[in-house]
Amino acid sequence: LGMPAFCYPGPRRGETGWAPAQPASTYNVLYSTGSPLSLACSAAALVFAALAAALFADARSIVQTEVTRYRCSTRGECPCEGPGTCRLALEVHEHMFGPIMLMYQLDPFHQNHRRYAQSWSYAQLTQPGTVPYATVADSCYPVVNEGNDARRDPDVPCGLAARTYFNDTFRLYGPGDELVPWTKVGIARDASRLLYSKLPADPAVTRDGFAAWVRAATLPRFRK
């Protein structure tokens, strides 16, 4: 954070580098103390400084705890290995104020790859009824349906993001082994939720969870 570049006077015409120190009266009035531009730059610097302080204070107030399930340094260290059901203990050493978010982290998973991010069909998600194979063949490539068979209807929805949907499920238990209720409603943007109204009737795949998954992450390590 700092002063915008236009707040600093550049070299004078016909000179190279910075001009030597001159009396204040020789400077352009735009850069003089109390000029409108000088006051605007000072106000902008104060606003950015206040914003940085507020973001820093907010970040310091976040309480988080995490546990690694896979990718341990040596075999046998992970709480869970391979498919199946396992139980993980999350130790919380500070009080957490609501709302509390339960997130998973993948690393490395390149959702930002060009082919992955573009493998979906807007026409399929917005047009009513079944969209023909030929309509989505290019946009959903390389995964249109099982075997990419043009004689069958495309998957709904089709594309790499839909095929690689992260389907791990979670349950949260309290200290007394009581089941803690939680929901996925509200974790996706409204515009994204509206696109995925044609999901198959699968209770394990919610519209909010699916919309959050297919929104491509910027980096190969991400949390959702």
Side-chain angles (χ1 to χ4, degrees):
L1 298 176
M3 300 283 283
F6 63 81
C7 295
Y8 297 96
R12 293 182 174 82
R13 183 177 300 177
E15 298 178 345
T16 58
W18 292 95
Q22 298 289 337
S25 58
T26 63
Y27 284 93
N28 191 301
V29 67
L30 287 177
Y31 304 110
S32 62
T33 304
S35 68
L37 182 59
S38 176
L39 294 176
C41 291
S42 299
L46 292 175
V47 170
F48 280 109
L51 180 61
L55 292 175
F56 179 77
D58 183 67
R60 296 271 294 181
S61 66
I62 296 176
V63 178
Q64 66 176 359
T65 182
E66 61 183 33
V67 61
T68 302
R69 175 173 178 178
Y70 300 116
R71 198 179 179 183
C72 300
S73 56
T74 59
R75 187 172 183 84
E77 285 188 356
C78 290
C80 305
E81 290 192 8
T85 302
C86 62
R87 199 176 184 102
L88 307 176
L90 290 171
E91 297 182 2
V92 182
H93 302 286
E94 298 181 59
H95 182 73
M96 288 186 174
F97 296 93
I100 298 176
M101 294 181 292
L102 180 64
M103 311 177 75
Y104 59 86
Q105 176 177 302
L106 297 184
D107 171 33
F109 195 96
H110 295 268
Q111 281 195 322
N112 56 351
H113 191 280
R114 176 183 58 83
R115 175 163 289 181
Y116 186 97
Q118 295 179 354
S119 180
W120 66 288
S121 173
Y122 182 80
Q124 184 194 47
L125 298 176
T126 55
Q127 294 179 11
T130 302
V131 178
Y133 182 97
T135 304
V136 302
D138 291 335
S139 56
C140 284
Y141 179 84
V143 181
V144 182
N145 58 30
E146 191 67 34
N148 289 336
D149 188 353
R151 296 169 297 179
R152 296 189 293 110
D153 292 333
D155 292 340
V156 182
C158 59
L160 279 171
R163 178 60 62 90
T164 59
Y165 177 70
F166 185 72
N167 59 357
D168 274 16
T169 56
F170 308 94
R171 288 184 180 178
L172 189 62
Y173 294 90
D177 212 29
E178 70 278 8
L179 186 63
V180 178
W182 59 293
T183 179
K184 291 184 178 181
V185 176
I187 64 174
R189 299 180 180 180
D190 291 339
S192 299
R193 293 180 68 256
L194 293 175
L195 276 178
Y196 300 102
S197 58
K198 298 170 67 175
L199 287 177
D202 186 346
V205 182
T206 64
R207 189 187 304 183
D208 288 73
F210 190 84
W213 167 255
V214 299
R215 185 175 180 83
T218 306
L219 301 176
R221 174 184 293 181
F222 59 85
R223 293 181 179 181
K224 294 193 177 186

